[in-house]
Amino acid sequence: MTDEWRGWREAAQAALYGDEGFYLSPLRSPRGPAGHFRTSVHASPLFAAAVARLLTGIARELNTGTVALVDVGAGRGELLTGVLAALPEGLEVVPYAVEVAARPPGLDPRIEWCARPPEGVTGLLFANEWLDNVPAEVAEADPDGVPRYVRVRASDGAERLGEPVSGADLAWLERWWPLSAPGERAEIGRPRDTAWAGAVGSLTAGLAVAVDYPHVRGGRPPFGTLTGFRGGREVRPVPDGSCDLTAHVALDACAAAVAEAGIDASTELTDQRAALRRLGVGGDRPPLSLATTDPAGYVRALASAGEAAELTARGGLGDFGWLLHRVGLPAPPP
């Protein structure tokens, strides 16, 4: 890996997805993303079961017995495996795993492994913690308040300011994440907007869902959110391929990009707590009386309630944003 100064987007692209990048190197990530950070998919099978119910509802709305399930940023296929196991009988699902890494051994043969979302499918497209790994430029306001690109050195993560932000990047900053005070930072989410609009546009009809740690205009973090993860711990972001590089997502900008791409879709932005509660994941403790009538059932229900509570916890996984686009479907009732 070269030691030149580069923008964060280029540096992160090489560090994550280059030939020896974090997501492609079996030496750096033998267990895949699950070896470095824990998502809702890894936290509990209740998450996959909720996605299965969501998919079943979409199939009912589409009035079809066959639907596609497209998992964007599929890791090692954990979500697809869980959803397929939780589906009701009679629903035929065509599963697609969209991932840059090689297909893992032993994966369900029904799952089609692909590098990009298939075009023209009908069903559910689900992107859990994908957009935060789409590399973006980082900008910082200089002592005069002028936004400048941040340049980074791959070997040690050292940074320095480069040229002023200009063109479409500057227009995005001014609209979605304006900087003025010296030292303020932002991740320029334009590549995420483009990626998400493209993913939603691949659907002929159905539902597209992006799940990620979010922020919206008026509540952006003043110094950005770029960070790293390695072996389950947060670490300093160094684009040398040794760690995951992630930044929270401006989901409101992603939502606007879908509309501006001319995609006819209704849009909702909510949080995971509300979304999972609608899908039957509540976290309520079982009645104590069950411990007397069915002790084993009580223990199982108590464990399930604990997992549900983690998935919907405020200050944790429950704060994830859910951006939903209904394509070719009527808007849901309030």
Side-chain angles (χ1 to χ4, degrees), residues 24-320:
L24 295 183
S25 170
L27 296 177
R28 297 186 191 277
S29 300
R31 292 178 51 208
H36 296 277
F37 51 86
R38 189 165 177 261
T39 72
S40 297
V41 178
H42 309 121
S44 170
L46 294 177
F47 189 81
V51 175
R53 289 192 290 274
L54 184 60
L55 178 61
T56 303
I58 291 301
R60 190 180 305 118
E61 287 193 67
L62 292 167
N63 193 27
T64 179
T66 303
V67 287
L69 174 58
V70 183
D71 181 9
V72 186
R76 295 298 184 266
E78 298 95 334
L79 177 61
L80 287 173
T81 300
V83 171
L84 291 174
L87 286 172
E89 292 186 10
L91 179 61
E92 183 177 346
V93 173
V94 182
Y96 298 88
V98 182
E99 182 56 65
V100 295
R103 181 188 184 99
L107 192 66
D108 191 315
R110 291 174 292 175
I111 297 174
E112 182 173 339
W113 200 262
C114 45
R116 57 185 57 85
E119 293 291 334
V121 299
T122 298
L124 174 63
L125 181 144
F126 203 87
N128 184 58
E129 295 196 53
W130 169 55
L131 289 173
D132 65 295
N133 287 129
V134 174
E137 294 287 6
V138 176
E140 181 177 322
D142 69 13
D144 296 320
V146 176
R148 292 182 177 271
Y149 291 109
V150 176
R151 299 304 183 195
V152 62
R153 191 166 57 197
S155 62
D156 58 3
E159 293 180 336
R160 68 185 186 189
L161 296 186
E163 68 274 18
V165 179
S166 60
D169 284 345
L170 181 60
W172 191 94
L173 273 183
E174 290 174 340
R175 178 182 180 186
W176 293 110
W177 199 336
L179 302 177
S180 56
E184 286 186 350
R185 287 169 63 110
E187 293 93 33
I188 302 174
R190 206 163 56 84
R192 282 108 177 259
D193 298 352
T194 301
W196 181 238
V200 177
S202 71
L203 282 179
T204 295
L207 178 68
V209 183
V211 181
D212 247 305
Y213 271 124
H215 46 65
V216 297
R217 199 181 194 284
R220 308 279 190 221
F223 304 109
T225 60
L226 179 66
T227 191
F229 281 93
R230 184 192 304 117
R233 297 181 179 231
E234 187 171 7
V235 297
R236 181 168 166 264
V238 178
D240 61 357
S242 69
C243 65
D244 181 35
L245 298 169
T246 176
H248 296 186
V249 182
L251 285 179
D252 50 349
C254 292
V258 169
E260 290 161 7
I263 300 169
D264 184 14
S266 63
T267 299
E268 178 189 9
L269 180 55
T270 185
D271 62 30
Q272 179 157 297
R273 180 180 178 88
L276 287 185
R277 283 182 176 273
R278 290 203 306 247
L279 293 168
V281 181
D284 297 331
R285 293 172 63 92
L288 191 58
S289 59
L290 185 64
T292 302
T293 60
D294 182 6
Y298 176 77
V299 172
R300 288 193 299 270
L302 194 62
S304 179
E307 293 176 5
E310 181 183 4
L311 289 173
T312 58
R314 297 196 187 282
L317 295 175
D319 289 345
F320 268 77

